[in-house]
């Protein structure tokens, strides 16, 4: 008992003495007395950013989770941007596996979400089903579009597909890679043999072919053959080691530019490039921002503007201008683009790339 | 938490273990002995309570508002306690509400519990025969592919179609599981290795088939099958499909098999001591093959809940993490059918409630997984739980005994 009393006494003394220093720091913002005045000033000054206080923007991830440093994360960034810019409410649910998709969307519907964005083609069915049941909620889905045999849009009025023609910037990346290669071999690998992944690789291959045509050289691409639709795949988006071993294998075959299209697993490819002193091109986000530690090996990055697309879709929903028209990110509308080049890419090449970009926008070159 | 003066003396009290857990497990328990069951129930409930307490601490220290009140804790301590209380209260209210509050929530809980129970039974059954079956995942994947294929390509009348698709899943699961039993029986290949390896093989088998046109949706190259036809789906009331009924039936069958049948007695005997069982004239290889085949059947049943029950597409993720969660469910249920059902329901509820915690209370989705892990951790360490709650005496040791190499 004596011990307890002693400890209590010491604790009280410590608390009393610490309270002195605590108070100073908090008087500025957290003091109850200052809160009302602060909140009024905020609402007065921040009027434009409080446009839609009653609008609830929500998102369901696929099983990659929101911290995947890749498309779930970028998509949620778009949601966050919209929420912050227009003062909306937000709710997110992360899916662990596909059996949860329906429940997760329904949970958000029951929480009164006005706009629900789902991430990834795996959620296509669940999103469509929920959209048919809840016509007053606007749904948008990243990386998916509802089409019939002829390729026409079949989405109901409250569903918008957000797709990205990433073949276009990948074409430019392929050209850059081929021009930067000294060994005459460049490599690419994917996370899974699915269209949203291989579209990057196909564009990349076409870019290399274009370089060969233009300059009469013979740069080889290993890891993807658009004709036979076969190539190197980690069959996993999570495991960095798989990406690293796949890339190391390619480097051993002579590749000196690596283009990994495998989400977080692709980071292993960057690691391999760094270890072996070769170059790489990152995808989805600007690698010099999202994977800063590998910035020195990156020539550029193929950026897929999911954040912008999501933000636009959410804003359109809030402004009652939502349509079911499929969004296609292109070089022209800057839904897809190349990140700033590193110093390794000389100005002559940069000018050529800029020229090619314009030709793609003008429709003189078709990619994909 | 524990009194410093009593602390050091506590461990030796629980140290002497029962000498012959194997014999105890092997003896047929004809009589229902309630007094033997109570301590394990108390342990399990306390483990859940303890996990919730630790979970509450995690909620408190992962809530921004609470962390924000820490710098001025000593000037306005009440802020911290109020925010912390609100965060924990909101979180656990959402957990209960999302799992038990209302018909929708209950449906969600039961639908999520059903596959966990079935796959958990498969793991439990193998446990009792002395086999550590980590292969539920692979068995589910292959079975899902089979059920899906029958479901979306064949054209059969309603009801019959579901039955045939269900059978296809069971057969596929049985084959995938049986192979493991056969390898163990014939060559002595350790089932832990073979099941893990076959999980990977199963995933690539599924990916290979999903790459074929016949398994894909028209006009699509995505590795995503069409959903099964409506005629192949389980009957459902609202969203609650037949799955939970099948799961409970499966539990009854497994209980009867283990406790009342000759085969079950042989399984338990082999599980307790294969050498003794062999000496007693039982065929150990036959028991291994049968046990793994049945485990595969149960895993196959588990995946029909998603493919036929919820009409989900077949993908390489169709089994989710159920195959691995099933191991936890079986361990928590102490490899008994009743325990597995209860553990499956608990995990189903945690999973369903975790969803609401995330959506309504904004708590990280990992927390419900951490809760599950903590529960299992505390269940696996009864001495710790009893020490914390100062409970005297010792309960039965866990009836789950993983075999060592060559066992």
């Amino acid at each position: 008992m004596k011990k307890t009393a002693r400890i209590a006494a010491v604790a009280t003394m410590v608390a009393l003495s610490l309270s002195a220093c605590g108070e100073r720091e908090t008087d500025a913002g957290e003091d109850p007395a200052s809160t009302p005045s602060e909140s009024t000033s905020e609402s007065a000054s921040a009027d434009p950013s409080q446009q839609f206080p009653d609008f609830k923007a929500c998102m369901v991830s696929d099983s990659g989770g929101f911290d995947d440093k890749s498309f779930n994360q970028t998509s949620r960034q778009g949601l966050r941007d919209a929420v912050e810019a227009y003062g909306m409410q937000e709710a997110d649910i992360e899916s662990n596996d596909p059996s949860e998709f329906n429940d997760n969307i329904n949970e958000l519907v029951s929480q009164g979400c006005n706009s629900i964005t789902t991430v990834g083609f795996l959620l296509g069915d669940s999103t469509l089903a929920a959209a048919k049941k809840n016509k007053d909620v606007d749904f948008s889905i990243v990386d998916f579009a509802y089409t019939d045999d002829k390729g026409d849009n079949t989405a109901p009025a409250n569903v918008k597909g957000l797709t990205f023609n990433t073949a276009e910037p990948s074409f430019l990346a392929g050209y850059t890679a081929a021009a930067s290669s000294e060994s005459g071999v460049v490599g690419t690998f994917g996370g899974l043999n699915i269209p949203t992944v291989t579209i990057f690789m196909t564009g990349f291959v076409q870019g290399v072919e274009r370089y060969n045509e233009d300059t009469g050289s013979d740069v080889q691409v290993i890891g993807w053959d658009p004709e036979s639709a076969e190539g190197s795949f980690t069959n996993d988006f999570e495991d960095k080691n798989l990406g690293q071993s796949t890339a190391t294998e390619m480097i051993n075959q002579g590749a000196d530019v690596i283009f990994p299209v495998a989400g977080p697993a692709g980071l292993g490819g960057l690691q391999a490039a760094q270890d072996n002193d070769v170059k790489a091109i990152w995808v989805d986000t600007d690698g010099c921002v999202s994977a800063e530690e590998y910035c020195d090996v990156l020539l550029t990055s193929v950026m897929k503007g999911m954040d912008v697309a999501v933000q636009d879709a959410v804003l359109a929903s809030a402004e009652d201008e939502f349509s079911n028209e499929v969004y296609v990110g292109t070089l022209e509308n800057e839904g897809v683009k190349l990140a700033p080049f590193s110093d390794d890419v000389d100005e002559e090449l940069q000018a050529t790339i800029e020229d090619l970009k314009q030709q793609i926008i003008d429709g003189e070159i078709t990619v994909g | 938490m524990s009194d410093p003066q009593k602390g050091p003396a506590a461990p030796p009290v629980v140290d002497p273990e029962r000498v012959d857990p194997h014999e105890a497990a092997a003896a047929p328990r004809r009589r229902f002995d309630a007094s033997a069951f109570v301590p394990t129930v108390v342990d399990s409930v306390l483990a859940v309570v303890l996990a919730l307490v630790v979970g509450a601490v995690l909620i408190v220290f992962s809530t921004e508002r609470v962390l924000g009140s820490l710098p001025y804790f000593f000037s306005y301590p009440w802020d911290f306690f109020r925010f912390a209380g609100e965060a924990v209260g909101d979180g656990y209210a959402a957990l209960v509400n999302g799992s038990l509050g209302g018909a929708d929530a209950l449906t969600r809980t039961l639908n999520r519990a059903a596959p966990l129970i079935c796959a958990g039974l498969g793991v439990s059954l193998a446990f009792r025969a002395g086999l550590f079956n980590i292969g539920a995942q692979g068995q589910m994947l292959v079975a899902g592919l089979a059920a899906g294929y029958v479901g979306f390509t064949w054209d059969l009348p309603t009801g019959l179609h579901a039955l045939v698709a269900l059978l296809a899943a069971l057969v596929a699961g049985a084959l995938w599981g049986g192979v493991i039993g056969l390898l163990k029986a014939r060559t002595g290949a350790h089932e832990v290795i073979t099941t893990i390896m076959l999980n990977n093989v199963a995933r690539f088998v599924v990916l290979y088939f999903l790459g074929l046109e016949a398994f894909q949706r028209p006009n699509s190259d995505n590795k995503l099958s069409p959903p099964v036809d409506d005629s192949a789906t389980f009957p459902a009331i609202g969203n609650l499909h037949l799955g939970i009924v099948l799961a409970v039936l499966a539990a009854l069958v497994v209980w009867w098999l283990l406790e009342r049948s000759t085969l079950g007695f042989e399984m338990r005997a082999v599980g307790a001591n294969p050498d003794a069982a062999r000496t007693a004239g039982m065929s150990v290889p036959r028991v291994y093959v049968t046990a793994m085949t049945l485990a595969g059947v149960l895993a196959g049943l588990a995946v029909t809940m998603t493919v036929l029950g919820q009409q989900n597409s077949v993908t390489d993720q169709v089994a989710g993490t159920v195959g691995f969660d099933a191991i936890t469910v079986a361990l928590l249920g102490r490899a008994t059918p009743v325990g597995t059902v209860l553990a499956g329901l608990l995990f189903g509820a945690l999973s369903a409630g975790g969803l609401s915690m995330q959506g309504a209370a904004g708590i990280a989705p990992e927390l419900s997984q951490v809760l599950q892990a903590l529960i299992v951790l505390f269940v696996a360490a009864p001495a710790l739980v009893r020490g914390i709650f100062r409970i005297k005496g010792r309960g039965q040791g866990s009836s789950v005994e993983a075999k060592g190499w060559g066992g």
Side-chain angles (χ1 to χ4, degrees), chain A residues 144-202:
Chain A
F144 195 72
Y146 300 89
T147 51
D148 61 12
D149 296 352
K150 294 174 206 134
D152 291 334
N153 188 16
T154 59
N158 59 336
V159 181
K160 188 180 190 70
L162 308 174
T163 60
F164 302 87
N165 191 356
T166 43
E168 291 181 359
S170 299
F171 179 93
L172 303 179
Y175 197 97
T176 311
S180 309
S181 171
E182 284 164 16
S183 65
V185 181
V186 296
T188 180
F189 64 91
L192 199 57
N193 192 346
I194 52 173
T196 45
V197 167
T198 56
I199 184 177
F200 282 94
M201 300 160 80
T202 302

Coordinates of all heavy atoms in Angstrom, one line a residue, chain A residues 144-202:
Chain A
F144 N -12.7 0.1 -65.8 CA -13.7 -0.8 -66.3 C -14.7 0.0 -67.1 O -15.0 1.1 -66.8 CB -14.3 -1.6 -65.2 CG -15.1 -2.8 -65.7 CD1 -14.5 -3.9 -66.1 CD2 -16.5 -2.8 -65.6 CE1 -15.2 -5.0 -66.6 CE2 -17.2 -3.9 -66.1 CZ -16.6 -5.0 -66.5
A145 N -15.3 -0.7 -68.2 CA -16.4 0.0 -68.9 C -17.3 -1.2 -69.3 O -16.9 -2.3 -69.5 CB -15.9 0.7 -70.1
Y146 N -18.6 -0.8 -69.3 CA -19.6 -1.8 -69.7 C -19.9 -1.7 -71.2 O -20.4 -0.7 -71.6 CB -20.9 -1.6 -68.9 CG -20.6 -1.8 -67.4 CD1 -20.2 -0.7 -66.6 CD2 -20.7 -3.0 -66.8 CE1 -20.0 -0.8 -65.3 CE2 -20.5 -3.1 -65.4 CZ -20.1 -2.0 -64.7 OH -19.9 -2.1 -63.3
T147 N -19.6 -2.8 -71.9 CA -19.8 -2.7 -73.4 C -20.4 -4.0 -73.9 O -20.4 -5.0 -73.2 CB -18.4 -2.5 -74.1 OG1 -17.6 -3.6 -73.7 CG2 -17.8 -1.2 -73.9
D148 N -21.1 -3.8 -75.0 CA -21.7 -5.0 -75.6 C -20.8 -5.5 -76.7 O -19.6 -5.1 -76.9 CB -23.1 -4.7 -76.2 CG -23.1 -3.6 -77.2 OD1 -22.0 -3.2 -77.7 OD2 -24.1 -3.1 -77.6
D149 N -21.3 -6.4 -77.6 CA -20.5 -7.1 -78.6 C -19.8 -6.0 -79.5 O -18.7 -6.2 -80.0 CB -21.3 -8.0 -79.5 CG -21.9 -9.1 -78.7 OD1 -21.5 -9.3 -77.5 OD2 -22.7 -9.9 -79.2
K150 N -20.6 -5.0 -79.8 CA -20.0 -4.0 -80.8 C -19.2 -2.9 -80.1 O -18.7 -2.0 -80.7 CB -21.2 -3.3 -81.4 CG -22.0 -4.2 -82.3 CD -23.2 -3.4 -82.9 CE -24.4 -4.4 -83.2 NZ -25.7 -3.9 -82.7
G151 N -19.0 -3.1 -78.8 CA -18.2 -2.1 -78.1 C -19.0 -0.9 -77.7 O -18.4 0.1 -77.2
D152 N -20.3 -0.9 -77.8 CA -21.1 0.2 -77.4 C -21.3 0.2 -75.8 O -21.3 -0.8 -75.2 CB -22.5 0.2 -78.1 CG -22.3 0.5 -79.5 OD1 -21.3 1.2 -79.9 OD2 -23.2 0.0 -80.3
N153 N -21.5 1.4 -75.3 CA -21.6 1.5 -73.9 C -23.0 1.0 -73.4 O -24.0 1.4 -73.9 CB -21.5 3.0 -73.5 CG -21.4 3.2 -72.0 OD1 -21.2 2.3 -71.2 ND2 -21.7 4.4 -71.6
T154 N -23.0 0.1 -72.4 CA -24.3 -0.5 -72.0 C -24.6 -0.1 -70.5 O -25.4 -0.6 -69.9 CB -24.3 -2.0 -72.0 OG1 -23.1 -2.4 -71.2 CG2 -24.1 -2.5 -73.4
A155 N -23.8 0.8 -70.0 CA -23.9 1.2 -68.6 C -25.2 1.9 -68.3 O -25.7 2.7 -69.1 CB -22.7 2.1 -68.1
P156 N -25.9 1.6 -67.2 CA -27.1 2.4 -66.8 C -26.7 3.8 -66.6 O -25.5 4.2 -66.5 CB -27.5 1.7 -65.5 CG -26.6 0.6 -65.2 CD -25.5 0.6 -66.2
A157 N -27.7 4.7 -66.5 CA -27.5 6.1 -66.4 C -26.7 6.6 -65.2 O -26.1 7.6 -65.2 CB -28.8 6.9 -66.4
N158 N -26.6 5.7 -64.2 CA -25.9 6.2 -63.0 C -24.6 5.4 -62.8 O -24.0 5.4 -61.7 CB -26.8 6.0 -61.7 CG -27.2 4.5 -61.5 OD1 -27.2 3.8 -62.5 ND2 -27.5 4.2 -60.3
V159 N -24.0 4.9 -63.9 CA -22.7 4.2 -63.8 C -21.8 4.8 -64.8 O -22.1 4.9 -66.0 CB -22.8 2.7 -64.0 CG1 -21.4 2.1 -63.8 CG2 -23.7 2.1 -63.0
K160 N -20.6 5.2 -64.4 CA -19.6 5.8 -65.3 C -18.3 4.9 -65.3 O -17.8 4.7 -64.2 CB -19.3 7.2 -64.9 CG -18.4 7.9 -65.9 CD -18.2 9.4 -65.4 CE -17.5 10.2 -66.4 NZ -18.4 10.6 -67.5
G161 N -17.9 4.5 -66.4 CA -16.6 3.7 -66.5 C -15.5 4.7 -66.6 O -15.6 5.7 -67.4
L162 N -14.4 4.5 -65.9 CA -13.2 5.4 -66.0 C -12.1 4.5 -66.6 O -11.5 3.7 -65.9 CB -12.8 5.9 -64.6 CG -13.9 6.6 -63.8 CD1 -13.4 7.0 -62.4 CD2 -14.4 7.8 -64.5
T163 N -11.8 4.7 -67.8 CA -10.7 3.9 -68.4 C -9.6 4.8 -68.9 O -9.7 6.0 -69.0 CB -11.3 3.1 -69.6 OG1 -11.8 4.0 -70.6 CG2 -12.4 2.2 -69.2
F164 N -8.5 4.2 -69.2 CA -7.3 4.9 -69.5 C -6.6 4.3 -70.7 O -6.3 3.1 -70.7 CB -6.3 4.9 -68.3 CG -7.0 5.5 -67.1 CD1 -7.8 4.8 -66.3 CD2 -6.9 6.9 -66.9 CE1 -8.4 5.3 -65.2 CE2 -7.6 7.5 -65.9 CZ -8.3 6.7 -65.0
N165 N -6.3 5.0 -71.7 CA -5.5 4.5 -72.8 C -4.0 4.6 -72.5 O -3.3 5.4 -73.1 CB -5.9 5.2 -74.1 CG -5.4 4.5 -75.4 OD1 -4.7 3.5 -75.2 ND2 -5.7 5.1 -76.5
T166 N -3.6 3.7 -71.7 CA -2.2 3.8 -71.2 C -1.2 3.4 -72.3 O 0.0 3.5 -72.1 CB -2.0 3.0 -69.9 OG1 -2.6 1.8 -70.1 CG2 -2.5 3.7 -68.7
A167 N -1.7 2.8 -73.4 CA -0.9 2.4 -74.5 C -0.1 3.6 -75.0 O 1.0 3.6 -75.4 CB -1.6 1.7 -75.6
E168 N -0.8 4.8 -75.0 CA -0.2 6.0 -75.6 C 1.0 6.5 -74.9 O 2.1 6.5 -75.6 CB -1.3 7.1 -75.7 CG -2.4 6.8 -76.7 CD -3.4 8.0 -76.7 OE1 -3.3 9.0 -76.0 OE2 -4.4 7.8 -77.5
P169 N 1.0 6.7 -73.6 CA 2.2 7.1 -73.0 C 3.3 6.0 -73.0 O 4.5 6.2 -73.0 CB 1.8 7.5 -71.6 CG 0.5 6.9 -71.4 CD -0.1 6.8 -72.7
S170 N 2.8 4.7 -72.9 CA 3.7 3.6 -72.9 C 4.5 3.5 -74.2 O 5.6 3.1 -74.3 CB 3.0 2.3 -72.7 OG 2.3 2.3 -71.5
F171 N 3.8 3.9 -75.3 CA 4.5 4.0 -76.6 C 5.6 5.0 -76.5 O 6.8 4.7 -76.9 CB 3.4 4.5 -77.6 CG 4.0 4.7 -79.0 CD1 3.8 3.7 -80.0 CD2 4.5 5.9 -79.5 CE1 4.3 3.8 -81.3 CE2 5.0 6.0 -80.7 CZ 4.9 5.0 -81.7
L172 N 5.4 6.1 -75.9 CA 6.5 7.1 -75.8 C 7.6 6.5 -74.9 O 8.8 6.8 -75.1 CB 5.9 8.4 -75.2 CG 4.8 9.1 -76.0 CD1 4.3 10.3 -75.3 CD2 5.2 9.4 -77.4
A173 N 7.1 5.8 -73.8 CA 8.1 5.2 -72.9 C 9.0 4.2 -73.6 O 10.2 4.1 -73.4 CB 7.4 4.5 -71.7
G174 N 8.3 3.4 -74.5 CA 9.1 2.4 -75.3 C 10.1 3.0 -76.2 O 11.2 2.6 -76.3
Y175 N 9.7 4.2 -76.8 CA 10.6 4.9 -77.7 C 11.8 5.4 -76.9 O 12.9 5.3 -77.3 CB 9.9 6.0 -78.4 CG 10.6 6.6 -79.6 CD1 10.2 6.2 -80.8 CD2 11.6 7.5 -79.4 CE1 10.8 6.7 -82.0 CE2 12.2 8.0 -80.5 CZ 11.8 7.6 -81.8 OH 12.5 8.1 -82.9
T176 N 11.5 6.0 -75.7 CA 12.5 6.5 -74.8 C 13.5 5.4 -74.4 O 14.7 5.5 -74.4 CB 11.9 7.1 -73.6 OG1 10.9 8.0 -74.0 CG2 12.9 7.9 -72.7
A177 N 12.9 4.2 -74.1 CA 13.7 3.1 -73.6 C 14.6 2.6 -74.7 O 15.8 2.4 -74.5 CB 12.8 2.0 -73.1
A178 N 14.1 2.5 -75.9 CA 14.9 2.0 -77.0 C 16.0 3.0 -77.3 O 17.1 2.6 -77.6 CB 14.0 1.8 -78.2
A179 N 15.7 4.3 -77.3 CA 16.7 5.3 -77.6 C 17.8 5.3 -76.5 O 18.9 5.7 -76.8 CB 16.1 6.6 -77.8
S180 N 17.4 5.0 -75.3 CA 18.4 5.0 -74.2 C 19.2 3.8 -74.0 O 20.2 3.7 -73.3 CB 17.7 5.3 -72.9 OG 16.8 6.4 -73.0
S181 N 18.7 2.7 -74.7 CA 19.4 1.4 -74.4 C 20.7 1.4 -75.2 O 20.9 1.8 -76.3 CB 18.5 0.3 -75.0 OG 19.2 -0.9 -74.9
E182 N 21.7 0.9 -74.4 CA 23.1 0.7 -75.1 C 23.3 -0.7 -75.5 O 24.0 -1.0 -76.5 CB 24.2 1.1 -74.1 CG 24.2 2.6 -74.0 CD 25.0 3.1 -72.7 OE1 25.8 2.2 -72.2 OE2 24.9 4.2 -72.3
S183 N 22.6 -1.6 -74.8 CA 22.8 -3.0 -75.2 C 21.9 -3.5 -76.3 O 22.1 -4.6 -76.9 CB 22.5 -3.9 -73.9 OG 21.2 -3.8 -73.6
G184 N 20.9 -2.7 -76.7 CA 20.0 -3.1 -77.7 C 18.9 -4.1 -77.3 O 18.3 -4.7 -78.1
V185 N 18.8 -4.2 -75.9 CA 17.7 -5.1 -75.4 C 17.0 -4.3 -74.3 O 17.7 -3.8 -73.4 CB 18.3 -6.4 -74.8 CG1 17.2 -7.3 -74.3 CG2 19.1 -7.1 -75.9
V186 N 15.7 -4.3 -74.3 CA 14.9 -3.7 -73.2 C 13.9 -4.8 -72.8 O 13.5 -5.7 -73.5 CB 14.2 -2.4 -73.6 CG1 15.2 -1.3 -74.0 CG2 13.2 -2.7 -74.8
G187 N 13.5 -4.7 -71.5 CA 12.6 -5.7 -71.0 C 11.4 -5.1 -70.3 O 11.4 -4.0 -69.8
T188 N 10.3 -5.9 -70.4 CA 9.1 -5.5 -69.6 C 8.5 -6.7 -69.0 O 8.6 -7.8 -69.6 CB 8.1 -4.8 -70.5 OG1 6.9 -4.4 -69.8 CG2 7.7 -5.6 -71.7
F189 N 7.8 -6.6 -67.9 CA 7.0 -7.7 -67.4 C 5.8 -7.2 -66.7 O 5.7 -6.0 -66.3 CB 7.8 -8.6 -66.4 CG 8.3 -7.9 -65.2 CD1 7.6 -7.9 -64.0 CD2 9.5 -7.2 -65.1 CE1 8.0 -7.3 -62.9 CE2 10.0 -6.6 -64.0 CZ 9.2 -6.6 -62.8
G190 N 4.8 -8.0 -66.6 CA 3.5 -7.6 -66.0 C 3.2 -8.3 -64.7 O 3.8 -9.3 -64.3
G191 N 2.1 -7.9 -64.0 CA 1.7 -8.5 -62.8 C 0.8 -9.7 -63.1 O 0.8 -10.7 -62.5
L192 N 0.0 -9.5 -64.1 CA -1.0 -10.6 -64.5 C -1.3 -10.4 -66.0 O -1.4 -9.2 -66.4 CB -2.2 -10.5 -63.6 CG -3.1 -11.8 -63.5 CD1 -2.3 -13.0 -63.0 CD2 -4.2 -11.5 -62.5
N193 N -1.6 -11.5 -66.7 CA -1.9 -11.3 -68.1 C -3.3 -10.9 -68.3 O -4.2 -11.7 -68.7 CB -1.6 -12.6 -68.8 CG -1.6 -12.5 -70.3 OD1 -2.1 -11.5 -70.8 ND2 -1.1 -13.5 -71.0
I194 N -3.6 -9.6 -68.0 CA -5.0 -9.1 -68.2 C -4.8 -7.8 -68.9 O -3.8 -7.2 -69.0 CB -5.6 -8.8 -66.8 CG1 -4.7 -8.0 -65.9 CG2 -6.0 -10.1 -66.1 CD1 -5.4 -7.5 -64.6
P195 N -5.9 -7.4 -69.6 CA -5.8 -6.3 -70.5 C -5.3 -5.0 -69.9 O -4.5 -4.3 -70.5 CB -7.3 -6.1 -71.0 CG -7.9 -7.4 -70.8 CD -7.2 -8.0 -69.7
T196 N -5.7 -4.7 -68.7 CA -5.3 -3.4 -68.1 C -3.8 -3.4 -67.8 O -3.2 -2.3 -67.7 CB -6.0 -3.1 -66.7 OG1 -6.0 -4.3 -66.0 CG2 -7.4 -2.7 -67.0
V197 N -3.2 -4.5 -67.8 CA -1.7 -4.6 -67.6 C -1.0 -4.6 -69.0 O -0.1 -3.9 -69.3 CB -1.3 -5.8 -66.8 CG1 0.2 -6.1 -66.9 CG2 -1.7 -5.6 -65.3
T198 N -1.5 -5.5 -69.9 CA -0.8 -5.7 -71.1 C -0.9 -4.6 -72.1 O -0.1 -4.4 -73.0 CB -1.3 -7.0 -71.8 OG1 -2.7 -6.9 -72.0 CG2 -1.0 -8.2 -71.0
I199 N -1.9 -3.7 -71.8 CA -2.1 -2.5 -72.7 C -0.8 -1.6 -72.6 O -0.3 -1.1 -73.6 CB -3.3 -1.7 -72.3 CG1 -3.6 -0.5 -73.2 CG2 -3.3 -1.3 -70.9 CD1 -4.9 0.2 -73.0
F200 N -0.2 -1.6 -71.4 CA 1.0 -0.9 -71.2 C 2.1 -1.5 -72.0 O 2.9 -0.8 -72.7 CB 1.5 -1.0 -69.7 CG 0.8 0.0 -68.7 CD1 -0.3 -0.5 -68.0 CD2 1.3 1.2 -68.5 CE1 -0.9 0.3 -67.1 CE2 0.6 2.1 -67.6 CZ -0.5 1.6 -66.9
M201 N 2.2 -2.8 -71.9 CA 3.3 -3.6 -72.5 C 3.2 -3.5 -74.0 O 4.2 -3.4 -74.7 CB 3.3 -5.0 -72.0 CG 3.4 -5.1 -70.5 SD 2.9 -6.6 -69.7 CE 4.3 -7.6 -70.0
T202 N 2.0 -3.6 -74.5 CA 1.8 -3.5 -76.0 C 2.3 -2.1 -76.5 O 3.0 -2.1 -77.5 CB 0.4 -3.8 -76.3 OG1 0.0 -5.0 -75.8 CG2 0.1 -3.7 -77.8

